[in-house]
Amino acid sequence: MRLYDEVFKNADGGAFSRCIVVPRGGGYFEGVKSVGDFSAERIVVCFPRETVEVEGRDLTIKKYCDGDLQLSGQIHSIRVVVPQTEGGN
């Protein structure tokens, strides 16, 4: 886990999330606060500080418990959703 230590050494100390994705084979997400919209092609995963959109094919929520989320299906992309600020900037 030295690589994780190196990657996260500059984190601001807040709770952060981890995503492990097997291309075209599902994924595992830690630190999930809630799940937004979901369909077989798109699932919105909400973390304390960010939201991500997972897109793919045949997506299903296999397990969701205590902030851990396991997805099955083919994940094609993950996108961090940047919230819009007031005033449109």
Side-chain angles (χ1 to χ4, degrees):
M1 292 294 172
R2 291 186 323 213
L3 179 58
Y4 277 122
D5 293 338
E6 183 68 23
V7 169
F8 294 117
K9 73 180 179 183
N10 294 322
D12 63 5
F16 48 103
S17 314
R18 286 191 218 184
C19 304
I20 300 170
V21 176
V22 177
R24 300 184 201 165
Y28 178 77
F29 301 81
E30 290 180 353
V32 176
K33 181 178 172 183
S34 64
V35 175
D37 295 334
F38 65 92
S39 69
E41 292 81 32
R42 179 177 169 266
I43 297 177
V44 176
V45 182
C46 304
F47 297 94
R49 293 188 178 189
E50 62 269 340
T51 299
V52 298
E53 289 182 357
V54 179
E55 294 184 342
R57 191 174 79 198
D58 301 323
L59 298 174
T60 59
I61 296 172
K62 191 167 182 180
K63 292 182 183 177
Y64 179 38
C65 181
D66 296 328
D68 292 345
L69 173 69
Q70 182 181 2
L71 298 181
S72 63
Q74 294 184 7
I75 293 176
H76 298 156
S77 68
I78 296 178
R79 180 174 74 93
V80 177
V81 178
V82 178
Q84 298 222 347
T85 60
E86 290 185 36
N89 292 332

Coordinates of all heavy atoms in Angstrom, one line a residue:
M1 N 0.8 -1.2 0.0 CA 0.0 0.0 0.0 C 0.8 1.3 0.0 O 0.3 2.3 0.2 CB -0.9 0.0 1.2 CG -2.0 -1.0 1.1 SD -3.1 -0.6 -0.2 CE -4.1 -2.1 -0.3
R2 N 2.1 1.1 -0.2 CA 3.0 2.3 -0.3 C 2.5 3.3 -1.4 O 2.6 4.5 -1.3 CB 4.4 1.9 -0.5 CG 5.0 1.3 0.7 CD 6.5 1.0 0.6 NE 6.8 0.7 -0.8 CZ 7.8 -0.2 -1.1 NH1 8.5 -0.7 -0.2 NH2 8.0 -0.4 -2.4
L3 N 2.0 2.7 -2.5 CA 1.6 3.5 -3.6 C 0.4 4.4 -3.2 O 0.4 5.6 -3.5 CB 1.2 2.7 -4.8 CG 0.6 3.4 -6.0 CD1 1.7 4.5 -6.5 CD2 0.3 2.5 -7.1
Y4 N -0.6 3.8 -2.4 CA -1.7 4.7 -1.9 C -1.1 5.8 -1.0 O -1.6 6.9 -1.1 CB -2.6 3.8 -1.1 CG -3.7 3.1 -1.9 CD1 -3.7 1.7 -1.9 CD2 -4.5 3.7 -2.7 CE1 -4.7 1.0 -2.6 CE2 -5.5 3.1 -3.5 CZ -5.5 1.7 -3.4 OH -6.4 1.0 -4.2
D5 N -0.2 5.5 -0.2 CA 0.4 6.5 0.7 C 1.0 7.6 -0.1 O 0.8 8.8 0.2 CB 1.5 5.9 1.6 CG 0.9 4.9 2.6 OD1 -0.3 5.0 2.9 OD2 1.7 4.1 3.1
E6 N 1.7 7.3 -1.2 CA 2.3 8.3 -2.1 C 1.2 9.1 -2.8 O 1.3 10.3 -2.9 CB 3.2 7.6 -3.1 CG 4.0 8.5 -4.0 CD 5.0 9.4 -3.3 OE1 5.5 8.9 -2.2 OE2 5.4 10.4 -3.8
V7 N 0.2 8.4 -3.3 CA -0.8 9.1 -4.0 C -1.6 10.1 -3.1 O -1.9 11.2 -3.5 CB -1.8 8.1 -4.7 CG1 -3.0 8.8 -5.2 CG2 -1.1 7.3 -5.8
F8 N -1.9 9.7 -1.9 CA -2.7 10.5 -1.0 C -1.9 11.4 0.0 O -2.5 12.0 0.9 CB -3.7 9.6 -0.3 CG -4.7 8.9 -1.2 CD1 -4.7 7.6 -1.3 CD2 -5.6 9.7 -1.9 CE1 -5.6 7.0 -2.2 CE2 -6.5 9.1 -2.8 CZ -6.5 7.7 -2.9
K9 N -0.6 11.5 -0.2 CA 0.2 12.2 0.8 C -0.2 13.7 0.9 O 0.0 14.3 1.9 CB 1.7 12.0 0.6 CG 2.2 12.7 -0.6 CD 3.7 12.5 -0.7 CE 4.3 13.2 -1.9 NZ 5.7 12.9 -2.1
N10 N -0.7 14.2 -0.2 CA -1.0 15.6 -0.3 C -2.5 15.9 -0.1 O -2.9 17.0 -0.3 CB -0.6 16.3 -1.6 CG 1.0 16.3 -1.7 OD1 1.7 16.5 -0.8 ND2 1.4 16.0 -2.9
A11 N -3.2 14.9 0.4 CA -4.7 15.1 0.6 C -4.8 16.1 1.8 O -3.9 16.2 2.7 CB -5.3 13.8 1.0
D12 N -5.9 16.8 1.8 CA -6.1 17.9 2.8 C -6.5 17.3 4.2 O -6.9 18.1 5.0 CB -7.1 18.9 2.3 CG -8.5 18.3 2.0 OD1 -8.7 17.2 2.4 OD2 -9.3 19.1 1.5
G13 N -6.5 16.1 4.4 CA -6.9 15.5 5.7 C -8.3 15.2 5.8 O -8.7 14.5 6.8
G14 N -9.2 15.6 4.9 CA -10.6 15.2 4.9 C -10.8 13.8 4.4 O -9.9 13.1 4.0
A15 N -12.0 13.4 4.6 CA -12.4 12.0 4.1 C -12.3 12.0 2.6 O -12.7 12.9 1.9 CB -13.8 11.7 4.6
F16 N -11.7 11.0 2.1 CA -11.6 10.9 0.7 C -12.0 9.5 0.2 O -12.1 8.6 1.1 CB -10.3 11.3 0.1 CG -9.1 10.7 0.7 CD1 -8.4 9.7 0.2 CD2 -8.6 11.2 2.0 CE1 -7.3 9.2 0.8 CE2 -7.5 10.7 2.6 CZ -6.8 9.7 2.0
S17 N -12.3 9.4 -1.0 CA -12.9 8.2 -1.6 C -11.9 7.4 -2.4 O -10.9 8.0 -2.9 CB -14.1 8.6 -2.4 OG -14.8 9.5 -1.7
R18 N -12.2 6.1 -2.6 CA -11.4 5.3 -3.5 C -12.3 4.6 -4.4 O -13.4 4.1 -4.0 CB -10.6 4.3 -2.7 CG -9.4 4.8 -2.0 CD -8.6 3.7 -1.5 NE -8.1 4.0 -0.2 CZ -7.3 3.3 0.5 NH1 -6.8 2.2 0.1 NH2 -6.9 3.7 1.7
C19 N -11.8 4.5 -5.6 CA -12.6 3.7 -6.7 C -11.6 2.7 -7.3 O -10.5 3.1 -7.7 CB -13.1 4.7 -7.8 SG -14.1 6.0 -7.2
I20 N -12.1 1.5 -7.4 CA -11.3 0.5 -8.1 C -12.2 0.0 -9.2 O -13.3 -0.4 -9.0 CB -11.0 -0.7 -7.1 CG1 -10.1 -0.2 -5.9 CG2 -10.3 -1.8 -7.9 CD1 -9.9 -1.2 -4.8
V21 N -11.7 0.1 -10.4 CA -12.5 -0.2 -11.6 C -11.7 -1.3 -12.4 O -10.5 -1.2 -12.6 CB -12.7 1.0 -12.5 CG1 -13.4 0.7 -13.7 CG2 -13.4 2.1 -11.7
V22 N -12.5 -2.3 -12.8 CA -12.0 -3.3 -13.7 C -12.7 -3.0 -15.1 O -13.9 -3.1 -15.2 CB -12.4 -4.7 -13.3 CG1 -12.0 -5.7 -14.3 CG2 -11.9 -5.0 -11.9
P23 N -11.9 -2.4 -16.0 CA -12.5 -2.0 -17.3 C -13.4 -3.2 -17.9 O -12.9 -4.3 -17.9 CB -11.3 -1.8 -18.2 CG -10.2 -1.4 -17.2 CD -10.4 -2.2 -16.0
R24 N -14.6 -2.8 -18.2 CA -15.6 -3.7 -18.7 C -15.9 -4.8 -17.8 O -16.4 -5.9 -18.2 CB -15.1 -4.3 -20.1 CG -14.9 -3.2 -21.1 CD -14.6 -3.8 -22.4 NE -13.9 -2.8 -23.2 CZ -13.2 -3.0 -24.3 NH1 -13.1 -4.2 -24.7 NH2 -12.6 -2.1 -24.9
G25 N -15.6 -4.6 -16.5 CA -15.9 -5.7 -15.5 C -16.4 -5.3 -14.2 O -16.3 -6.1 -13.2
G26 N -16.9 -4.1 -14.0 CA -17.5 -3.6 -12.7 C -16.5 -2.8 -11.9 O -15.4 -2.4 -12.4
G27 N -16.9 -2.5 -10.7 CA -16.0 -1.6 -9.9 C -16.5 -1.7 -8.4 O -17.5 -2.1 -8.0
Y28 N -15.6 -1.1 -7.6 CA -15.8 -1.1 -6.1 C -15.5 0.4 -5.7 O -14.5 0.9 -6.1 CB -14.9 -2.0 -5.4 CG -15.0 -2.0 -4.0 CD1 -16.0 -2.6 -3.3 CD2 -14.0 -1.4 -3.2 CE1 -16.1 -2.6 -1.9 CE2 -14.1 -1.4 -1.8 CZ -15.2 -2.0 -1.2 OH -15.3 -1.9 0.2
F29 N -16.4 1.0 -4.9 CA -16.2 2.3 -4.5 C -16.3 2.4 -3.0 O -17.3 1.8 -2.4 CB -17.4 3.2 -5.1 CG -17.4 3.2 -6.6 CD1 -17.9 2.1 -7.3 CD2 -16.8 4.2 -7.3 CE1 -17.9 2.1 -8.7 CE2 -16.8 4.2 -8.7 CZ -17.3 3.1 -9.4
E30 N -15.4 3.1 -2.3 CA -15.4 3.3 -0.9 C -15.7 4.7 -0.5 O -15.4 5.6 -1.2 CB -14.0 3.0 -0.3 CG -13.6 1.5 -0.3 CD -12.2 1.3 0.3 OE1 -11.5 2.3 0.6 OE2 -11.8 0.2 0.4
G31 N -16.4 4.9 0.6 CA -16.7 6.2 1.1 C -17.9 6.8 0.4 O -18.1 8.1 0.4
V32 N -18.8 6.0 -0.1 CA -20.0 6.5 -0.7 C -21.0 7.0 0.3 O -21.3 6.4 1.3 CB -20.7 5.3 -1.6 CG1 -22.0 5.8 -2.2 CG2 -19.7 4.8 -2.6
K33 N -21.5 8.2 0.0 CA -22.5 8.8 0.9 C -23.9 8.4 0.4 O -24.8 8.2 1.2 CB -22.4 10.4 0.8 CG -23.3 11.1 1.6 CD -23.0 12.6 1.5 CE -24.1 13.4 2.2 NZ -23.8 14.9 2.0
S34 N -24.2 8.4 -0.9 CA -25.5 8.0 -1.4 C -25.3 7.7 -2.9 O -24.3 8.0 -3.5 CB -26.5 9.1 -1.2 OG -26.2 10.3 -2.0
V35 N -26.4 7.1 -3.4 CA -26.5 6.8 -4.9 C -27.6 7.7 -5.4 O -28.7 7.7 -4.9 CB -26.8 5.3 -5.1 CG1 -27.0 5.0 -6.6 CG2 -25.6 4.5 -4.6
G36 N -27.3 8.4 -6.5 CA -28.3 9.3 -7.1 C -29.0 8.4 -8.2 O -29.3 7.3 -8.0
D37 N -29.2 9.1 -9.3 CA -29.9 8.4 -10.4 C -29.2 7.1 -10.8 O -27.9 7.1 -10.8 CB -30.0 9.3 -11.6 CG -30.9 10.5 -11.4 OD1 -31.8 10.4 -10.5 OD2 -30.7 11.5 -12.0
F38 N -29.9 6.1 -11.2 CA -29.2 4.9 -11.8 C -30.1 4.2 -12.8 O -31.3 4.2 -12.7 CB -28.8 4.0 -10.7 CG -29.9 3.3 -9.9 CD1 -30.4 2.1 -10.3 CD2 -30.4 3.9 -8.8 CE1 -31.4 1.5 -9.6 CE2 -31.4 3.3 -8.0 CZ -31.9 2.1 -8.4
S39 N -29.4 3.7 -13.8 CA -30.0 2.9 -14.8 C -29.0 1.9 -15.3 O -27.9 1.9 -14.7 CB -30.5 3.8 -16.0 OG -29.3 4.3 -16.7
A40 N -29.3 1.1 -16.3 CA -28.3 0.1 -16.7 C -27.2 0.8 -17.5 O -26.1 0.1 -17.7 CB -29.0 -0.9 -17.7
E41 N -27.3 2.1 -17.9 CA -26.3 2.8 -18.6 C -25.6 3.8 -17.8 O -24.5 4.3 -18.2 CB -26.8 3.4 -19.9 CG -27.3 2.5 -20.9 CD -28.7 1.9 -20.6 OE1 -29.5 2.6 -20.0 OE2 -28.9 0.7 -21.0
R42 N -26.1 4.2 -16.6 CA -25.5 5.4 -15.9 C -25.9 5.3 -14.4 O -27.1 5.1 -14.1 CB -26.1 6.7 -16.5 CG -25.6 7.9 -15.8 CD -26.2 9.1 -16.5 NE -26.0 10.3 -15.8 CZ -26.8 10.9 -14.9 NH1 -28.0 10.3 -14.7 NH2 -26.5 12.0 -14.3
I43 N -24.9 5.4 -13.6 CA -25.2 5.5 -12.1 C -24.4 6.7 -11.6 O -23.2 6.9 -11.9 CB -24.7 4.2 -11.4 CG1 -25.5 3.0 -12.0 CG2 -24.8 4.3 -9.9 CD1 -25.0 1.6 -11.4
V44 N -25.1 7.5 -10.7 CA -24.5 8.6 -10.1 C -24.2 8.2 -8.7 O -25.0 7.8 -7.9 CB -25.5 9.8 -10.1 CG1 -24.9 11.0 -9.3 CG2 -25.8 10.3 -11.5
V45 N -22.9 8.3 -8.3 CA -22.4 8.0 -7.0 C -21.9 9.2 -6.3 O -21.1 10.0 -6.8 CB -21.2 7.0 -7.1 CG1 -20.7 6.5 -5.8 CG2 -21.6 5.8 -8.0
C46 N -22.5 9.5 -5.1 CA -22.2 10.7 -4.4 C -21.3 10.4 -3.2 O -21.6 9.5 -2.4 CB -23.5 11.3 -3.8 SG -24.7 11.7 -5.2
F47 N -20.2 11.1 -3.1 CA -19.3 11.0 -2.0 C -19.4 12.3 -1.2 O -20.0 13.2 -1.6 CB -17.8 10.9 -2.6 CG -17.6 9.6 -3.4 CD1 -17.8 9.7 -4.8 CD2 -17.2 8.5 -2.8 CE1 -17.6 8.5 -5.5 CE2 -17.0 7.3 -3.5 CZ -17.2 7.3 -4.9
P48 N -18.8 12.3 0.0 CA -18.9 13.6 0.8 C -18.5 14.8 0.1 O -19.1 15.9 0.3 CB -18.0 13.3 2.0 CG -18.1 11.8 2.2 CD -18.1 11.3 0.7
R49 N -17.5 14.8 -0.7 CA -16.9 16.0 -1.4 C -17.1 16.0 -2.9 O -16.7 17.1 -3.5 CB -15.5 16.1 -1.0 CG -15.3 16.4 0.5 CD -13.9 16.7 0.8 NE -13.7 17.0 2.2 CZ -12.7 17.5 2.7 NH1 -11.6 17.8 2.0 NH2 -12.6 17.7 4.0
E50 N -17.5 15.0 -3.5 CA -17.6 15.0 -4.9 C -18.7 14.0 -5.4 O -19.2 13.2 -4.6 CB -16.3 14.7 -5.6 CG -15.8 13.3 -5.3 CD -14.8 13.3 -4.1 OE1 -14.3 14.3 -3.8 OE2 -14.6 12.2 -3.6
T51 N -19.1 14.1 -6.6 CA -20.0 13.2 -7.2 C -19.4 12.7 -8.5 O -18.7 13.5 -9.2 CB -21.3 14.0 -7.5 OG1 -21.9 14.4 -6.3 CG2 -22.4 13.1 -8.2
V52 N -19.6 11.4 -8.8 CA -19.1 10.9 -10.0 C -20.2 10.2 -10.8 O -21.2 9.7 -10.2 CB -17.9 9.9 -9.8 CG1 -16.7 10.5 -9.2 CG2 -18.4 8.7 -9.0
E53 N -20.1 10.3 -12.1 CA -21.1 9.6 -13.0 C -20.3 8.4 -13.6 O -19.3 8.5 -14.2 CB -21.6 10.5 -14.1 CG -22.5 11.5 -13.7 CD -23.0 12.4 -14.8 OE1 -22.6 12.2 -16.0 OE2 -23.8 13.3 -14.6
V54 N -20.9 7.2 -13.4 CA -20.4 6.0 -14.0 C -21.2 5.6 -15.2 O -22.4 5.5 -15.0 CB -20.4 4.8 -12.9 CG1 -19.8 3.6 -13.6 CG2 -19.6 5.2 -11.7
E55 N -20.6 5.5 -16.3 CA -21.4 5.1 -17.5 C -20.9 3.8 -18.0 O -19.7 3.4 -17.9 CB -21.2 6.2 -18.6 CG -21.9 7.5 -18.2 CD -21.9 8.5 -19.3 OE1 -21.1 8.4 -20.2 OE2 -22.7 9.4 -19.2
G56 N -21.8 3.0 -18.6 CA -21.4 1.7 -19.1 C -22.6 0.9 -19.7 O -23.6 1.5 -20.2
R57 N -22.5 -0.4 -19.6 CA -23.6 -1.2 -20.1 C -23.9 -2.3 -19.1 O -23.0 -2.8 -18.4 CB -23.1 -1.9 -21.4 CG -24.3 -2.5 -22.2 CD -23.8 -3.0 -23.5 NE -23.1 -4.3 -23.3 CZ -22.2 -4.8 -24.1 NH1 -22.0 -4.2 -25.3 NH2 -21.7 -5.9 -23.9
D58 N -25.2 -2.6 -18.9 CA -25.7 -3.6 -18.0 C -25.2 -3.3 -16.6 O -24.9 -4.3 -15.8 CB -25.2 -5.0 -18.4 CG -25.7 -5.4 -19.8 OD1 -26.9 -5.0 -20.1 OD2 -25.0 -6.0 -20.6
L59 N -25.2 -2.1 -16.2 CA -24.7 -1.7 -14.8 C -25.8 -2.1 -13.8 O -27.0 -1.8 -14.0 CB -24.4 -0.2 -14.7 CG -23.3 0.3 -15.6 CD1 -23.2 1.8 -15.5 CD2 -22.0 -0.3 -15.2
T60 N -25.4 -2.7 -12.7 CA -26.3 -3.0 -11.6 C -25.5 -2.8 -10.3 O -24.3 -2.9 -10.3 CB -26.8 -4.4 -11.6 OG1 -25.7 -5.3 -11.6 CG2 -27.6 -4.7 -12.9
I61 N -26.3 -2.5 -9.3 CA -25.7 -2.4 -7.9 C -25.7 -3.7 -7.3 O -26.8 -4.3 -7.0 CB -26.5 -1.4 -7.1 CG1 -26.4 0.0 -7.7 CG2 -25.9 -1.4 -5.6 CD1 -27.2 1.1 -7.0
K62 N -24.5 -4.3 -7.2 CA -24.4 -5.7 -6.6 C -24.5 -5.7 -5.1 O -25.2 -6.5 -4.5 CB -23.1 -6.3 -7.1 CG -23.0 -7.8 -6.8 CD -21.9 -8.4 -7.6 CE -21.8 -9.9 -7.3 NZ -20.7 -10.5 -8.0
K63 N -23.8 -4.7 -4.5 CA -23.8 -4.6 -3.0 C -23.7 -3.1 -2.7 O -22.9 -2.4 -3.3 CB -22.7 -5.4 -2.3 CG -22.8 -6.9 -2.4 CD -21.7 -7.5 -1.7 CE -21.8 -9.1 -1.9 NZ -20.7 -9.8 -1.3
Y64 N -24.4 -2.7 -1.6 CA -24.2 -1.3 -1.1 C -24.5 -1.3 0.4 O -25.6 -1.6 0.8 CB -25.2 -0.4 -1.8 CG -25.1 1.1 -1.3 CD1 -23.9 1.7 -1.0 CD2 -26.3 1.8 -1.2 CE1 -23.9 3.0 -0.6 CE2 -26.3 3.1 -0.8 CZ -25.1 3.7 -0.5 OH -25.0 5.0 -0.1
C65 N -23.4 -1.2 1.2 CA -23.5 -1.3 2.6 C -22.4 -0.5 3.3 O -21.2 -0.6 2.9 CB -23.4 -2.8 3.0 SG -23.6 -3.1 4.8
D66 N -22.7 0.3 4.3 CA -21.7 1.0 5.1 C -20.8 1.8 4.3 O -19.6 1.9 4.5 CB -21.0 0.1 6.0 CG -21.9 -0.6 7.0 OD1 -22.9 0.0 7.5 OD2 -21.6 -1.8 7.4
G67 N -21.2 2.5 3.2 CA -20.4 3.3 2.4 C -19.6 2.6 1.3 O -18.9 3.2 0.6
D68 N -19.8 1.3 1.2 CA -19.1 0.5 0.2 C -20.1 0.2 -0.9 O -21.2 -0.3 -0.6 CB -18.5 -0.7 0.7 CG -17.3 -0.5 1.7 OD1 -16.8 0.7 1.7 OD2 -16.9 -1.4 2.4
L69 N -19.7 0.3 -2.1 CA -20.6 0.1 -3.2 C -19.9 -0.8 -4.3 O -18.8 -0.5 -4.7 CB -21.0 1.4 -3.9 CG -21.9 1.3 -5.2 CD1 -23.3 0.8 -4.9 CD2 -21.9 2.7 -5.9
Q70 N -20.5 -1.9 -4.6 CA -20.0 -2.8 -5.7 C -20.9 -2.7 -6.9 O -22.1 -3.0 -6.7 CB -19.8 -4.2 -5.2 CG -19.2 -5.1 -6.2 CD -19.0 -6.5 -5.7 OE1 -19.4 -6.8 -4.6 NE2 -18.5 -7.4 -6.5
L71 N -20.4 -2.4 -8.0 CA -21.1 -2.4 -9.3 C -20.7 -3.6 -10.1 O -19.6 -4.0 -10.1 CB -20.9 -1.1 -10.1 CG -21.3 0.2 -9.4 CD1 -21.0 1.3 -10.4 CD2 -22.7 0.2 -9.0
S72 N -21.7 -4.1 -10.8 CA -21.4 -5.1 -11.8 C -21.8 -4.6 -13.2 O -22.6 -3.6 -13.3 CB -22.0 -6.5 -11.5 OG -23.4 -6.3 -11.6
G73 N -21.3 -5.2 -14.2 CA -21.6 -4.7 -15.6 C -20.3 -4.2 -16.2 O -19.2 -4.4 -15.6
Q74 N -20.4 -3.6 -17.4 CA -19.2 -3.1 -18.1 C -19.1 -1.6 -17.9 O -19.9 -0.8 -18.4 CB -19.3 -3.4 -19.5 CG -19.3 -4.8 -19.8 CD -19.3 -5.1 -21.3 OE1 -19.2 -4.2 -22.2 NE2 -19.4 -6.4 -21.7
I75 N -18.1 -1.1 -17.1 CA -17.9 0.3 -16.9 C -17.0 0.8 -18.1 O -16.0 0.3 -18.4 CB -17.1 0.5 -15.6 CG1 -18.1 0.2 -14.4 CG2 -16.7 2.0 -15.5 CD1 -17.4 0.3 -13.1
H76 N -17.6 1.8 -18.8 CA -16.9 2.4 -19.9 C -16.2 3.7 -19.5 O -15.2 4.1 -20.1 CB -17.8 2.7 -21.1 CG -18.4 1.4 -21.6 ND1 -19.6 1.4 -22.3 CD2 -18.1 0.1 -21.6 CE1 -19.9 0.2 -22.6 NE2 -19.0 -0.6 -22.2
S77 N -16.8 4.5 -18.6 CA -16.2 5.7 -18.2 C -16.7 6.1 -16.8 O -17.7 5.7 -16.3 CB -16.5 6.8 -19.2 OG -17.9 7.2 -19.1
I78 N -15.8 6.9 -16.1 CA -16.1 7.6 -14.9 C -15.8 9.0 -15.0 O -14.7 9.4 -15.4 CB -15.4 7.0 -13.7 CG1 -15.7 5.5 -13.5 CG2 -15.6 7.7 -12.4 CD1 -15.0 4.8 -12.4
R79 N -16.7 9.9 -14.6 CA -16.5 11.3 -14.8 C -16.9 12.0 -13.4 O -17.9 11.8 -12.8 CB -17.5 11.9 -15.9 CG -17.4 13.3 -16.1 CD -18.2 13.7 -17.3 NE -19.6 13.7 -17.0 CZ -20.3 14.8 -16.6 NH1 -19.6 16.0 -16.4 NH2 -21.6 14.8 -16.3
V80 N -16.0 12.9 -13.0 CA -16.2 13.7 -11.8 C -17.1 14.8 -12.2 O -16.8 15.5 -13.2 CB -14.9 14.2 -11.2 CG1 -15.2 15.1 -10.0 CG2 -14.0 13.1 -10.8
V81 N -18.2 15.0 -11.5 CA -19.2 16.1 -11.8 C -18.7 17.3 -11.0 O -18.7 17.2 -9.8 CB -20.6 15.6 -11.4 CG1 -21.6 16.8 -11.7 CG2 -21.0 14.4 -12.2
V82 N -18.4 18.4 -11.7 CA -18.0 19.6 -11.0 C -19.3 20.4 -10.8 O -20.0 20.7 -11.7 CB -17.1 20.4 -11.9 CG1 -16.7 21.7 -11.3 CG2 -15.8 19.6 -12.3
P83 N -19.6 20.7 -9.5 CA -20.8 21.5 -9.2 C -20.7 22.9 -9.8 O -19.7 23.5 -9.8 CB -20.8 21.5 -7.6 CG -19.4 21.3 -7.2 CD -18.8 20.5 -8.3
Q84 N -21.9 23.4 -10.2 CA -22.0 24.7 -10.7 C -22.0 25.7 -9.5 O -22.7 25.4 -8.5 CB -23.3 24.9 -11.5 CG -23.2 24.0 -12.7 CD -23.8 24.7 -14.0 OE1 -24.3 25.7 -13.9 NE2 -23.5 24.1 -15.1
T85 N -21.3 26.8 -9.6 CA -21.3 27.8 -8.6 C -22.4 28.7 -8.8 O -22.9 28.9 -10.0 CB -19.9 28.5 -8.6 OG1 -19.7 29.2 -9.8 CG2 -18.8 27.6 -8.3
E86 N -22.8 29.5 -7.8 CA -23.8 30.4 -7.9 C -23.3 31.6 -8.9 O -22.2 31.9 -8.9 CB -24.2 31.0 -6.6 CG -24.9 30.0 -5.7 CD -25.4 30.7 -4.4 OE1 -25.8 31.8 -4.4 OE2 -25.3 30.0 -3.4
G87 N -24.2 32.1 -9.7 CA -23.9 33.1 -10.6 C -23.4 32.6 -11.9 O -23.0 33.3 -12.8
G88 N -23.3 31.2 -12.1 CA -22.9 30.6 -13.3 C -21.4 30.6 -13.6 O -21.0 30.4 -14.7
N89 N -20.6 30.9 -12.7 CA -19.1 30.9 -12.9 C -18.5 29.6 -12.7 O -18.7 28.9 -11.9 CB -18.4 32.0 -12.0 CG -18.8 33.4 -12.4 OD1 -19.1 33.6 -13.6 ND2 -18.7 34.3 -11.5

